[in-house]
Amino acid sequence: MRHFFSYLIPFSILFWSAVAATSDYYEQLNLKPLPQSNLLASFNFRSNTSLSQFEAHNFRYFPRSLGQILQHVGTRELHLRFSLGRWDAESWGARPWDGTKEGGTGVELWAWLEADTDEEADRKWLSLTNALSGLFCASLNFIDETRTTRPVMSFQPEGNHPNSTLANMQLLHGVLPREVVCTENLTPFLKLLPCKGKAGISTLLDGHKLFDASWQSMAIDIRPICADGEECVLQIEQAIDMVLDIERSKRPRDNPIPRPAPGHDLKCNSSKPYHSGDTCFPTDFVEGQDWALDQVFGKAIKSACPLTNSNIPPVCIQVPHSRDIYTTAGATEIKNPNGLSRCYQIPSDDGFSFILPHISREGEQAVTSPSDIVEPETPLLYAERSFTGHGYERGGVRTILTNPSPDTEVEFVYMESLPWFMRIYLHTLKTHIDGESRSSQDVIEEIYYRPALDRVRGTQLELRMRIPPASTVFLTYDFEKSILRYTEYPPDANRGFDVAAAVITILPSNSPNAPLERQKTSNLRTTTLLLSLPTPDFSMPYNVIIFTSTAIALAFGGLYNILIRRFVGADEAPKVSVGGLKGKILTGIVRLAEKLKGAKGKVE
């Protein structure tokens, strides 16, 4: 059964949305247990500052370092993503925040810049990427013109912009799928928060836990918000989402090596007929998660951030009310009327943690009701992408798009930003609905294609598509691989080249009777691809250098001997008696005696 309040947008955010929109700063942590012993942790931080204060360089909650960059470049709206891992939609369900705070693997950036011409926008984009590269310790300065696109249908402004400003705003998008997200990116992220990771829920953010997650994403969104009858504010929203493996996170830091659990600690399903003292069938983790907040994150929340809005509870967890949760002293529990979540007000001067105990499935207090498990939401669309073909000359891309809804079609925009050395053949673009013998071209409603120019720009492909209910569509096309110069290969050329993830923007439904999740825009990304190109033998330059140096040494040595050595005739050379070593010694003695006699005569 599809629940009305899904974890795509947590209920706590919806319940306190009016308060959060008007508050200067608030933060909230939402926890969602997932199947297979996983836990989704969503950290959300939001700060507001009036546009008049921002233009007057009065920074209170808005970070000054980032605000000065935006003012210098003329950025009206900015979105930055750091992502790592793969979201398992089949097991974990729909993405958090409808996928709007998710980016492709690596680093993704898109922004609306105020510029009159494309050349001016390119200059401001270059300044923005270089400034953000230094601020977040990332390689954003490598987003050059070959990795920059100008989307037409995929992205729309999220903020409120006047019509006079929209006319001069230009959207630019860049992605670095090869970028490795690490602790160096987390530290600047925390420094932008008002409490700097010293208090509040940000004290749980630790690089050892965050980057040990199965999937993690860091997002920064900056946009202007204008409410009716109120002054416009500039809002910065920072979010961190991670999927933690509970069993792996519970390992102590001083002994992180996994070891088999003792026999008495194994969780076995005793209902199996073959269950015995030496035979164990593991129980399903979905029905039996037991963990503590300080056990999963390695520490408890120190105290509430003093700058946050006290009306918004900082910690929420989505578990049924039938499950017991034990908290530390001083915390106040607020239960959601839907019966599927609860929130906690934590003390301002003391730590906070809670324990989610194990569900007993056996004995007198056994729990068998299926309502004790919050089932994950079904995504609106499943997407898979992979390479086809073989060899180093040509290849293909196949994308599998599945609409799981039995009665509602889904409309979306599919966008790919391909490197210039992938020369696609647009005439080979085909769509095929699974179960039909012929290709179906009615799925694609609109195409925007911008071909690549060698070493100047990449390929941009945007498709507006519509998939019928309960259908699977195969999208395929062919491409040709280019040969690069040997200086254009990375140090690990044999690994391959990363191709950015495809961006899918699911458009809201126009039907008034559509469910809540279909009345808003949602996003999802496919996984990145690894492209193998013809790779030269990089040992050949060294072989050529060695061979050439040897040839030059031989030629130069012979020529040097000819020019320097003196050649004389045999009759002109001094006579030397041939007597072996004895003759040479006697000859030397005779010459020495003659020299001594000559010197004695001169003295007399």
Side-chain angles (χ1 to χ4, degrees), residues 189-259:
F189 186 94
L190 295 177
K191 290 183 178 180
L192 300 179
L193 299 175
C195 289
K196 311 294 183 184
K198 305 299 182 181
I201 62 175
S202 60
T203 58
L204 298 178
L205 293 173
D206 179 67
H208 295 87
K209 296 294 183 179
L210 175 61
F211 299 107
D212 189 48
S214 303
W215 174 85
Q216 63 91 10
S217 175
M218 296 190 299
I220 296 178
D221 298 294
I222 301 175
R223 52 185 173 261
I225 302 297
C226 297
D228 296 337
E230 297 181 3
E231 184 182 4
C232 295
V233 298
L234 186 64
Q235 182 181 96
I236 175 172
E237 188 171 3
Q238 299 175 243
I240 292 182
D241 300 284
M242 67 181 83
V243 175
L244 298 172
D245 187 310
I246 295 178
E247 298 301 323
R248 189 169 69 242
S249 299
K250 288 161 64 174
R251 298 173 190 163
R253 183 176 297 182
D254 55 350
N255 190 18
I257 301 176
R259 293 178 173 85

Side-chain angles (χ1 to χ4, degrees), residues 98-141:
D98 297 325
T100 56
K101 301 185 185 305
E102 175 189 353
T105 302
V107 180
E108 186 175 353
L109 171 68
W110 69 96
W112 278 266
L113 306 178
E114 188 174 6
D116 297 329
T117 61
D118 294 345
E119 291 76 13
E120 182 183 359
D122 292 336
R123 289 194 302 269
K124 290 186 175 182
W125 176 256
L126 181 62
S127 301
L128 178 64
T129 54
N130 281 274
L132 294 178
S133 176
L135 180 62
F136 291 100
C137 298
S139 302
L140 291 167
N141 56 312

Side-chain angles (χ1 to χ4, degrees), residues 483-506:
I483 299 178
L484 305 181
R485 300 166 183 166
Y486 82 94
T487 56
E488 295 174 338
Y489 286 88
D492 52 346
N494 292 293
R495 174 185 174 272
F497 292 80
D498 294 272
V499 180
V503 181
I504 300 177
T505 305
I506 301 178

Side-chain angles (χ1 to χ4, degrees), residues 174-199:
V175 60
L176 287 175
R178 193 183 180 88
E179 183 74 6
V180 178
V181 185
C182 60
T183 310
E184 295 179 353
N185 311 121
L186 176 63
T187 302
F189 186 94
L190 295 177
K191 290 183 178 180
L192 300 179
L193 299 175
C195 289
K196 311 294 183 184
K198 305 299 182 181

Side-chain angles (χ1 to χ4, degrees), residues 209-340:
K209 296 294 183 179
L210 175 61
F211 299 107
D212 189 48
S214 303
W215 174 85
Q216 63 91 10
S217 175
M218 296 190 299
I220 296 178
D221 298 294
I222 301 175
R223 52 185 173 261
I225 302 297
C226 297
D228 296 337
E230 297 181 3
E231 184 182 4
C232 295
V233 298
L234 186 64
Q235 182 181 96
I236 175 172
E237 188 171 3
Q238 299 175 243
I240 292 182
D241 300 284
M242 67 181 83
V243 175
L244 298 172
D245 187 310
I246 295 178
E247 298 301 323
R248 189 169 69 242
S249 299
K250 288 161 64 174
R251 298 173 190 163
R253 183 176 297 182
D254 55 350
N255 190 18
I257 301 176
R259 293 178 173 85
H264 59 274
D265 290 341
L266 293 176
K267 300 176 182 179
C268 304
N269 189 349
S270 60
S271 63
K272 299 294 181 180
Y274 48 80
H275 175 73
S276 62
D278 57 352
T279 305
C280 176
F281 185 84
T283 58
D284 191 0
F285 286 110
V286 177
E287 301 179 358
Q289 290 186 10
D290 59 306
W291 48 272
L293 185 68
D294 55 347
Q295 190 179 26
V296 172
F297 290 96
K299 51 187 174 182
I301 300 177
K302 292 183 179 180
S303 60
C305 178
L307 302 177
T308 187
N309 191 332
S310 59
N311 296 324
I312 301 177
V315 179
C316 295
I317 180 171
Q318 297 189 29
V319 294
H321 291 177
S322 57
R323 294 201 63 176
D324 296 327
I325 296 181
Y326 306 107
T327 65
T328 55
T332 303
E333 185 181 61
I334 305 173
K335 289 189 176 181
N336 191 342
N338 68 348
L340 299 177

Side-chain angles (χ1 to χ4, degrees), residues 20 23-27 44-49 60-63 192-194 221 223 233-238:
S23 61
D24 291 335
Y25 175 71
Y26 92 96
E27 58 183 25
N44 185 254
F45 311 90
R46 182 179 297 176
S47 304
N48 295 331
T49 182
R60 186 184 179 190
Y61 297 112
F62 199 95
L192 300 179
L193 299 175
D221 298 294
R223 52 185 173 261
V233 298
L234 186 64
Q235 182 181 96
I236 175 172
E237 188 171 3
Q238 299 175 243

Side-chain angles (χ1 to χ4, degrees), residues 299-537:
K299 51 187 174 182
I301 300 177
K302 292 183 179 180
S303 60
C305 178
L307 302 177
T308 187
N309 191 332
S310 59
N311 296 324
I312 301 177
V315 179
C316 295
I317 180 171
Q318 297 189 29
V319 294
H321 291 177
S322 57
R323 294 201 63 176
D324 296 327
I325 296 181
Y326 306 107
T327 65
T328 55
T332 303
E333 185 181 61
I334 305 173
K335 289 189 176 181
N336 191 342
N338 68 348
L340 299 177
S341 65
R342 68 194 76 180
C343 298
Y344 294 95
Q345 289 281 7
I346 64 178
S348 59
D349 55 352
D350 196 4
F352 171 79
S353 182
F354 64 81
I355 299 175
L356 183 68
H358 175 70
I359 298 178
S360 177
R361 296 296 179 182
E362 299 177 357
E364 298 180 356
Q365 299 179 353
V367 180
T368 59
S369 175
S371 62
D372 295 324
I373 303 172
V374 179
E375 295 293 337
E377 287 289 322
T378 302
L380 301 180
L381 185 71
Y382 292 99
E384 300 177 11
R385 188 175 65 149
S386 60
F387 279 132
T388 60
H390 57 86
Y392 289 100
E393 185 178 0
R394 292 180 178 87
V397 174
R398 182 181 66 175
T399 305
I400 304 176
L401 304 166
T402 303
N403 180 9
S405 176
D407 54 1
T408 307
E409 63 181 8
V410 59
E411 185 178 6
F412 59 92
V413 177
Y414 179 87
M415 172 184 165
E416 283 195 354
S417 301
L418 304 175
W420 61 267
F421 44 79
M422 283 183 61
R423 301 173 180 174
I424 72 171
Y425 298 130
L426 191 61
H427 69 280
T428 63
L429 181 65
K430 298 179 181 179
T431 56
H432 172 73
I433 299 179
D434 189 21
E436 297 184 3
S437 58
R438 59 182 180 85
S439 61
S440 176
Q441 300 298 333
D442 298 336
V443 175
I444 301 178
E445 298 180 346
E446 186 178 353
I447 299 178
Y448 177 83
Y449 172 66
R450 191 185 188 198
L453 297 176
D454 288 354
R455 299 175 179 85
V456 176
R457 71 184 184 202
T459 301
Q460 180 180 345
L461 177 64
E462 293 187 69
L463 307 174
R464 188 184 183 98
M465 305 177 63
R466 186 186 299 270
I467 298 182
S471 300
T472 299
V473 174
F474 295 85
L475 175 67
T476 60
Y477 61 85
D478 299 333
F479 65 91
E480 182 183 18
K481 302 178 182 180
S482 302
I483 299 178
L484 305 181
R485 300 166 183 166
Y486 82 94
T487 56
E488 295 174 338
Y489 286 88
D492 52 346
N494 292 293
R495 174 185 174 272
F497 292 80
D498 294 272
V499 180
V503 181
I504 300 177
T505 305
I506 301 178
L507 304 178
S509 175
N510 297 325
S511 175
N513 299 326
L516 176 64
E517 62 270 12
R518 292 189 179 272
Q519 296 179 4
K520 53 185 179 296
T521 303
S522 58
N523 300 90
L524 64 96
R525 263 80 168 172
T526 63
T527 56
T528 57
L529 299 178
L530 195 61
L531 176 65
S532 297
L533 291 180
T535 306
D537 184 4

